[in-house]
């Protein structure tokens, strides 16, 4: 366009950016986001009725811990509740349902995909019962309760977070309400906001908090409901008869599927350029549920499951000790060195069939199951907790460098020599600790979280294990055991091309030349050009003064493996993923379940869904008595009443299927690998990925073995 003076106005960058197509292409609201926001998860049948009630379910039994009876007297006799339709509601029931309520909600602990849908389910249920009801979201986790830091959750806010991952709407935090003073502050906020109920969305520690708050606030008439959240999958509830009542916490499926998809991409890559071993550390804190699910989703070549290592018994050692009339306690549980040998075995076997590449999955909590390391973790937990409880400054701030920390430990060892009543850290501990590599020492001494838990995600577990693997592989290579197999055809072609008779050299070079194997293995005694030459001279194929023929040298060089690794950590990425269909639906119904429990007067209960392992039509909203799920555990060096975490059960069908298939998935045979493509995460449409494979196998296994005479 010309201006008055006849100059042509130049388009500026701002004009360009203002164009509709540019705005659309660069908008924060991607098409994928908009589709997600408009997805409505299905609701359980019971929520289609206008009113619901709670039915006591007496087929489940729990061992009540005496300490729980003592500390939680008002909620310890809670039972399992099933949410049922109320087909014939009385006027009181209707009033109870329609009552205007104020409810608080808080996220606690690490984010887990689906959290926003818990809020959406609760919001939709509450506002459809009474449009004047209000939900307050406490910001930054339990700190929001203590510091009266909250927002009112509006319809628009909910609509802009439906089916989205993360906990961005109200954020999260790891503070524990674990002292009289904090309890007082929490109570003051809750009463000031005139809350009828508080919903705590969290893991084992947070549900423990929910139980204690329920006990504390009962006399004020405030209900407290927990919701099982954690990608770790370690909130699983079974009764004393092993009946599964809550198969898994929300977030687990999405995180596992996200990790699986990315790890499968590594499988595609490594089987294409055939030169790397990818080492994948997978989150999950202590339990290896995520690693197991990833194994079932992707079939990586090697997956370690911590719980299995702890259960290992070295029969040979036991037998030897028996013969000597002694007991060898070191025969129980795997050592770090044995774990590394296990991995080496897989690597060596694959190399023998020409596969000097692959994928290894290591759960982040692996070290917890290695006896020698667990002892360090427990001792250091105690030392750090004791230090923190008696000093104004915490251990890590007082001893900022590794050197300072080691010096403090040395002082403790000295103290134990001088004063025999002090035995937590003795000279032997100190000596053993000092031979560990510095990065490993740093890892073991990292700050514990606010619950006193060891922070496995900060530990370079994978590097610790793989350091030993690399050392041992070098030794195996020196011994001539770790070698690349040479394809028969490739050997013949190399020799033929240079006019050498493959059969003349074959028996001298290879230990399996006269077999029908697809891959030839260079003899173990040949570990250098020098030993190669000696072998050929001995076989009278060469004189002392002659050089090794170049094709033979080339074949030898091909047989020497280069062990190249790439390290990956799968944790925060999957934890922040948008939820799968399973998690979208599970969490939306959990929010509705929380409301059903509130309407019907429950407190100290955890909202849950029974039959998650089955098709959606069978899902059954329930309330679980948190008090009955508690036991004593060491936290900050003291025994504390906490909700019990579930570890991988190595007698479960899912684990047994994995154990039965792992040799196949190692694929140490000629031919293709057995990688499985789980595909990207979807939130709509049922498919084979509708729920975790672990749940499917455990369900199929339990009915199969029940029906087997
Ligand atoms: P929650 O148990 O709070 O759900 O957190 C799970 C988790 O993601 C673990 O898998 C991991 O070890 C830990 O949190 C990491 O903690 P942080 O977020 O503090 O780094």
């Amino acid at each position: 366009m010309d201006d008055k003076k006849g100059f042509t106005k130049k388009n500026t960058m701002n004009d360009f950016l203002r164009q509709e197509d540019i705005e659309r292409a660069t908008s924060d609201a991607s098409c994928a986001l908009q589709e997600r926001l408009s997805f409505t998860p299905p609701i359980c049948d019971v929520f289609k009725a206008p009113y619901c009630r709670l039915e006591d379910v007496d087929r489940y039994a729990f061992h009540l811990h005496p300490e729980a009876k003592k500390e939680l007297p008002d909620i310890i006799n809670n039972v399992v509740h099933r949410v049922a339709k109320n087909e014939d509601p009385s006027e009181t029931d209707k009033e109870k349902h329609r009552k205007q309520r104020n409810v608080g909600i808080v996220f606690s602990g690490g984010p887990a995909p689906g959290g926003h849908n818990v809020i959406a389910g609760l919001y939709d249920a509450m506002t459809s019962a009474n449009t004047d009801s209000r939900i307050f979201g406490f910001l930054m986790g339990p700190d929001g309760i203590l510091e009266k830091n909250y927002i009112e959750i509006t319809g628009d806010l909910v609509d802009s977070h439906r089916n989205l991952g993360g906990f961005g709407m109200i954020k999260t935090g790891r503070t524990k309400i674990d002292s009289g003073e904090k309890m007082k502050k929490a109570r003051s906020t809750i009463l000031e906001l005139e809350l009828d109920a508080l919903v705590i969305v969290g893991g084992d520690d947070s549900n423990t908090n929910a139980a204690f708050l329920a006990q504390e606030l009962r006399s004020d008439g405030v209900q407290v409901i927990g919701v099982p959240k954690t990608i770790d999958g370690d909130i699983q509830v079974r009764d004393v008869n092993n009946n599964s009542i809550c198969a898994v916490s929300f977030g687990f499926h999405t995180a596992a599927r996200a990790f699986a998809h990315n790890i499968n991409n590594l499988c595609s890559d490594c089987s294409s350029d055939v030169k790397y071993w990818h080492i994948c550390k997978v989150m999950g804190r202590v339990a290896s549920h995520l690693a197991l699910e990833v194994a079932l989703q992707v079939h990586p070549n090697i997956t370690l499951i911590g719980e299995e290592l702890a259960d290992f018994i070295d029969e040979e050692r036991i037998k030897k000790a028996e013969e000597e009339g002694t007991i060898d306690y070191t025969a129980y549980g795997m050592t770090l060195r044995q774990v590394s040998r296990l991995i080496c075995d897989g690597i060596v076997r694959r190399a023998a069939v020409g596969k000097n590449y692959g994928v290894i999955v290591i759960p982040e909590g692996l070290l917890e199951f290695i006896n020698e390391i667990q002892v360090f973790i427990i001792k250091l937990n105690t030392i750090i907790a004791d230090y923190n409880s008696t000093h104004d400054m915490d251990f890590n701030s007082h001893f900022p460098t590794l050197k300072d920390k080691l010096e403090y430990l040395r002082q403790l060892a000295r103290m134990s020599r001088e004063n025999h009543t002090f035995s937590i850290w003795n000279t032997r501990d100190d000596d053993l600790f000092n031979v560990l590599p510095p990065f490993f020492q740093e890892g073991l001494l990292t700050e514990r979280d606010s619950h006193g838990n060891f922070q496995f995600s900060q530990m370079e577990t994978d590097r610790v294990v793989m350091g030993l693997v690399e050392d041992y592989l070098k030794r195996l290579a020196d011994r001539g055991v770790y070698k690349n197999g040479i394809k028969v055809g490739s050997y013949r072609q190399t020799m033929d091309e240079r006019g050498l008779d493959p059969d003349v050299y074959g028996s001298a070079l290879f230990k399996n030349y006269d077999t029908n194997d697809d891959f030839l293995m260079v003899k173990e005694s040949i570990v250098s050009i020098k030993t190669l030459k000696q072998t050929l001279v001995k076989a009278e194929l060469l004189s002392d003064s002659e050089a090794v023929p170049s094709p033979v040298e080339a074949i030898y060089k091909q047989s020497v493996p280069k062990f190249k690794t790439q390290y990956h950590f799968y944790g925060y990425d999957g934890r922040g993923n948008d939820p799968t269909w399973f998690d979208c639906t599970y969490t939306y119904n959990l929010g509705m379940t929380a409301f059903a429990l509130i309407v019907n007067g429950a407190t100290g209960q955890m909202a849950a869904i029974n039959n998650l392992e089955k098709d959606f039509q069978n899902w059954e909203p329930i309330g679980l008595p948190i008090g009955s799920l508690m036991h004593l555990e060491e936290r900050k060096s003291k025994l504390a009443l906490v909700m019990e975490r579930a570890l991988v059960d190595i007698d479960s069908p899912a684990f047994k299927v994995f154990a039965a298939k792992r040799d196949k998935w190692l694929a140490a045979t000629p031919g293709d690998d057995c990688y499985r493509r789980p595909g990207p995460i979807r939130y709509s449409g049922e498919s084979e990925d509708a729920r975790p494979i672990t749940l499917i196998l455990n369900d199929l296994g339990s009915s199969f073995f029940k029906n087997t005479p």
Side-chain angles (χ1 to χ4, degrees):
M1 190 205 288
D2 290 350
D3 68 11
K4 281 179 199 154
K5 289 179 183 160
F7 293 120
T8 304
K9 184 178 175 249
K10 270 197 175 165
N11 278 331
T12 64
M13 191 58 186
N14 278 344
D15 296 330
F16 181 62
L17 290 176
R18 268 198 296 272
Q19 290 188 91
E20 220 174 278
D21 286 350
I22 300 294
E23 286 200 343
R24 198 173 317 117
T26 57
S27 159
D28 290 348
S30 64
C31 295
L33 172 84
Q34 295 181 23
E35 276 174 25
R36 263 197 176 266
L37 292 176
S38 58
F39 171 65
T40 309
I43 55 172
C44 295
D45 204 40
V46 62
F47 297 131
K48 291 181 185 153
Y51 304 100
C52 65
R53 59 193 172 81
L54 299 184
E55 277 177 6
D56 289 1
V57 185
D58 49 20
R59 66 174 185 277
Y60 301 116
F62 301 95
H63 279 311
L64 301 185
H65 198 284
E67 196 57 29
K69 288 188 192 167
K70 212 163 81 193
E71 294 189 40
L72 302 166
D74 296 332
I75 60 162
I76 195 66
N77 293 318
N78 283 2
V79 294
V80 175
H81 286 135
R82 174 175 168 266
V83 182
K85 282 183 188 170
N86 188 350
E87 316 265 20
D88 185 20
S90 64
E91 266 320 301
T92 331
D93 290 339
K94 288 184 186 168
E95 265 168 40
K96 216 170 58 180
H97 182 84
R98 293 192 209 121
K99 183 181 162 224
Q100 188 282 332
R101 288 186 167 81
N102 293 339
V103 172
I105 188 160
V106 66
F107 290 142
S108 180
H116 290 132
N117 273 20
V118 176
I119 298 186
L122 177 66
Y123 179 87
D124 289 351
M126 253 179 92
T127 50
S128 73
N130 184 325
T131 48
D132 291 332
S133 281
R134 302 173 74 188
I135 306 193
F136 298 98
F138 290 105
L139 298 173
M140 312 292 292
D143 273 341
I145 308 181
L146 302 179
E147 292 159 12
K148 302 193 168 91
N149 187 12
Y150 58 86
I151 51 167
E152 181 158 356
I153 292 176
T154 62
D156 283 348
L157 193 59
V158 172
D159 287 345
S160 60
H161 287 85
R162 287 181 192 271
N163 309 303
L164 298 190
F167 281 178
M169 190 201 286
I170 54 174
K171 325 285 184 229
T172 186
R174 289 199 182 275
T175 297
K176 193 173 179 186
I177 304 179
D178 57 355
S179 66
E181 199 190 326
K182 286 187 195 164
M183 232 4 136
K184 223 164 110 191
K185 280 188 174 173
R187 185 164 174 267
S188 149
T189 307
I190 288 164
L191 296 184
E192 197 175 298
L193 275 172
E194 296 182 7
L195 294 189
D196 295 282
L198 173 68
V199 177
I200 298 184
V201 183
D204 51 333
D205 283 318
S206 314
N207 275 284
T208 300
N209 251 210
F212 279 96
L213 275 166
Q215 172 65 39
E216 178 78 11
L217 297 169
R218 196 178 164 92
S219 54
D220 296 307
V222 181
Q223 298 161 254
V224 183
I225 301 295
V227 176
K229 168 240 69 161
T230 174
I231 62 159
D232 300 347
D234 56 4
I235 301 191
Q236 299 177 0
V237 180
R238 286 177 179 273
D239 76 346
V240 283
N241 300 315
N242 213 23
N243 295 308
S244 167
I245 330 178
C246 169
V248 79
S249 48
F250 82 76
F252 170 77
H253 185 233
T254 309
R257 288 282 284 98
F259 300 158
H261 179 54
N262 291 335
I263 291 176
N264 175 255
N265 292 343
L266 296 178
C267 296
S268 305
D269 192 81
C270 76
S271 54
S272 307
D273 69 1
V274 298
K275 65 176 183 205
Y276 290 123
W277 271 91
H278 289 278
I279 317 303
C280 307
K281 183 174 83 155
V282 164
M283 245 189 197
R285 212 184 278 285
V286 177
S288 307
H289 298 293
L290 280 166
L292 177 59
E293 180 67 21
V294 165
L296 296 167
Q297 293 274 352
V298 184
H299 309 170
N301 305 106
I302 298 175
T303 304
L304 300 176
I305 300 296
E307 288 81 341
E308 184 188 20
L309 306 182
D311 226 58
F312 172 79
I313 296 175
D314 191 333
E315 301 289 355
E316 263 178 41
R317 271 170 179 255
I318 297 210
K319 213 167 135 213
K320 193 163 164 252
E322 265 171 16
E323 281 163 14
E324 289 165 4
T326 57
I327 300 173
D328 186 347
Y329 292 105
T330 61
Y332 299 92
M334 234 184 231
T335 62
L336 211 47
R337 182 188 295 244
Q338 283 166 323
V339 174
S340 69
R341 303 298 188 260
L342 207 82
I343 297 177
C344 288
D345 179 60
I347 294 171
V348 168
R349 283 176 58 201
R350 274 178 67 83
V353 293
K355 296 175 181 171
N356 195 28
Y357 65 87
V359 172
I360 303 177
V361 171
I362 299 180
E364 70 170 9
L366 183 90
L367 297 179
E368 172 81 13
F369 297 97
I370 309 281
N371 259 337
E372 72 234 54
I373 309 298
Q374 200 193 22
V375 171
F376 278 138
I377 293 177
I378 294 172
K379 288 193 172 209
L380 293 171
N381 275 355
T382 309
I383 290 169
I384 294 172
D386 283 354
Y387 187 91
N388 290 348
S389 67
T390 47
H391 295 78
D392 292 335
M393 200 188 252
D394 72 81
F395 182 81
N396 271 280
S397 316
H398 200 160
F399 303 110
T401 66
L402 178 62
K403 199 166 155 250
D404 298 335
K405 291 181 185 106
L406 293 179
E407 180 49 41
Y408 179 67
L409 291 177
R410 206 160 301 135
Q411 275 175 33
L412 295 184
R414 203 175 310 132
M415 226 162 101
S416 88
R417 276 198 305 275
E418 288 159 11
N419 170 2
H420 294 297
T421 57
F422 179 87
S423 58
I424 181 86
W425 194 257
N426 55 37
T427 314
R428 188 167 177 273
D429 294 322
D430 207 50
D431 290 346
L432 287 176
F433 195 72
N434 276 304
V435 293
L436 300 178
F439 79 91
F440 192 8
Q441 293 174 326
E442 294 238 40
L444 290 167
L445 284 161
T446 48
E447 201 184 328
R448 273 45 181 171
D449 75 6
S450 54
H451 303 276
N453 294 320
F454 181 71
Q455 303 208 61
F456 285 102
S457 56
Q458 311 298 318
M459 182 80 194
E460 294 188 299
T461 309
D462 42 354
R463 290 188 189 268
V464 172
V465 175
M466 293 310 293
L468 291 173
V469 167
E470 291 200 29
D471 284 351
Y472 194 56
L473 280 179
K474 274 193 204 113
R475 281 164 54 194
L476 291 177
D478 289 347
R479 279 198 242 142
V481 176
Y482 176 32
K483 284 205 162 87
N484 287 330
I486 310 285
K487 253 196 149 163
V488 177
S490 151
Y491 166 65
R492 289 193 160 278
Q493 195 182 345
T494 311
M495 301 295 273
D496 285 342
E497 273 169 11
R498 301 296 297 272
L500 292 179
D501 183 350
D503 291 335
V504 169
Y505 288 85
S507 313
L509 279 177
F510 303 110
K511 62 179 184 186
N512 58 341
Y513 193 69
D514 299 324
T515 65
N516 287 327
D517 293 351
D518 295 342
F519 285 84
L520 298 170
M521 294 305 292
V522 169
K523 283 181 177 165
E524 287 176 9
S525 54
I526 305 176
V527 290
S528 58
I529 303 286
K530 207 167 159 190
T531 47
L532 171 65
K533 183 168 177 183
Q534 284 164 2
T535 308
L536 297 180
V537 171
K538 201 165 159 207
E540 296 177 358
L541 295 167
L542 212 65
S543 71
D544 264 338
S545 57
E546 280 175 309
V548 174
S550 60
V552 178
E553 189 174 322
I555 290 292
Y556 163 71
K557 283 187 177 160
Q558 252 185 60
S559 79
V560 179
K562 286 188 193 71
F563 183 65
K564 294 211 271 184
T565 48
Q566 296 288 348
Y567 286 82
H568 314 265
F569 176 31
Y570 293 102
Y572 300 101
D573 53 340
R575 204 169 79 166
N577 213 104
D578 287 333
T580 54
W581 178 91
F582 177 86
D583 277 327
C584 284
T585 309
Y586 181 15
T587 46
Y588 190 68
N589 282 280
L590 278 176
M592 298 199 119
T593 308
F595 181 65
L597 294 172
I598 294 170
V599 166
N600 289 285
T603 190
Q605 297 287 88
M606 184 172 78
I609 307 277
N610 197 6
N611 295 334
L612 284 173
E613 59 279 16
K614 302 198 190 306
D615 284 343
F616 174 68
Q617 297 82 285
N618 300 301
W619 287 17
E620 195 178 63
I622 49 169
L624 296 177
I626 308 176
S628 313
L629 314 177
M630 310 274 249
H631 76 159
L632 285 183
E633 216 172 88
E634 198 181 299
R635 291 292 157 91
K636 297 187 182 171
S637 89
K638 289 193 191 78
L639 282 180
L641 197 59
V642 288
M643 196 169 131
E644 195 168 359
R645 286 179 191 153
L647 297 178
V648 169
D649 175 4
I650 59 166
D651 290 322
S652 66
F655 179 80
K656 286 185 173 167
V657 169
F658 157 75
K661 297 259 182 192
R662 68 177 144 199
D663 201 54
K664 181 168 181 258
W665 297 345
L666 175 65
T669 46
D672 288 341
D673 285 297
C674 308
Y675 303 134
R676 177 179 181 273
R677 286 175 191 266
I681 284 181
R682 283 178 295 183
Y683 63 91
S684 63
E686 289 217 36
S687 69
E688 55 173 328
D689 317 311
R691 49 192 172 275
I693 299 180
T694 312
L695 266 58
I696 298 176
L697 294 177
N698 284 343
D699 183 44
L700 293 174
S702 62
S703 40
F704 181 83
F705 293 112
K706 207 187 286 166
N707 297 332
T708 309

